[in-house]
C-alpha cells in the first residue's frame, strides 16, 4: 500500500489549495480514503473522507462548505479542494486508507475509523 500526497504549500488567508492523494496497492472497491491533519502539540484530527464505492462523503464541521473532497476511481486518486482557508487550517495534511467513511460509534473518530495506512503528509501554511 502506498499513499502519496501533494499540493501543499503556503497560501494567504482566504486563498485556496487543492491537495491530491495518489493511492496504490489497494482497490477503492474495498477501501475508502480519509484526509487528516495535525499541528504540533495537537492530536491528529479527521478532516474529510470519501467512499468511491457507495458515494458517502463526510466533513468535519469546521471545514464544511469550504472544503470539497472528490475522487477518481480509474486513477486511484482523491483530491481535497480547500477554499476560504483560515490560519487555523495550517497543519500537515495526511491521506489515509480507511475501511469505511462516515462511520459512527465505538472506534470511529471524526466519522472515520483508525486508518490502516498513511501517506507521508504534505504541509499547508495559511498566512494572515
Amino acid at each position: 500500500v502506498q499513499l502519496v500526497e501533494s499540493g501543499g504549500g503556503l497560501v494567504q488567508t482566504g486563498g485556496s489549495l487543492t491537495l491530491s492523494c495518489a493511492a496504490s496497492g489497494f482497490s477503492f472497491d474495498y477501501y475508502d480514503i480519509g484526509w487528516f491533519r495535525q499541528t504540533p502539540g495537537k492530536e491528529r484530527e479527521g478532516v474529510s473522507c470519501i467512499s468511491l464505492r457507495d458515494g458517502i462523503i463526510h466533513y468535519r464541521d469546521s471545514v464544511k462548505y469550504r472544503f470539497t473532497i472528490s475522487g477518481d476511481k480509474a486513477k486511484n486518486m482523491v483530491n481535497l479542494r480547500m477554499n476560504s482557508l483560515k490560519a487555523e487550517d495550517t497543519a500537515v495534511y495526511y491521506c489515509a486508507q480507511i475501511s469505511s467513511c462516515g462511520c459512527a460509534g465505538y472506534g470511529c473518530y471524526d466519522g472515520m475509523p483508525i486508518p490502516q495506512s498513511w501517506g507521508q503528509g504534505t504541509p499547508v501554511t495559511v498566512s494572515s
Side-chain angles (χ1 to χ4, degrees), residues 16-17 19 21 27 33 48-51 54 58 61 71-72 79 84-85 88 98 105 107 112 115 128:
S16 299
L17 280 175
L19 305 183
C21 174
S27 171
I33 292 290
S48 180
C49 62
I50 186 168
S51 174
D54 55 22
H58 174 82
D61 287 346
D72 187 327
N79 294 324
S84 303
L85 282 162
E88 51 264 41
I98 58 174
M112 291 178 266
S128 55

Side-chain angles (χ1 to χ4, degrees), residues 63-78:
V63 307
K64 276 181 184 176
Y65 315 117
R66 298 190 298 123
F67 290 12
T68 302
I69 194 169
S70 62
D72 187 327
K73 223 174 175 182
K75 295 181 180 178
N76 271 19
M77 182 81 71
V78 171

Side-chain angles (χ1 to χ4, degrees), residues 19 24-25 43 47 66 85 120:
L19 305 183
S24 60
E43 288 190 1
V47 176
R66 298 190 298 123
L85 282 162
Q120 83 287 352

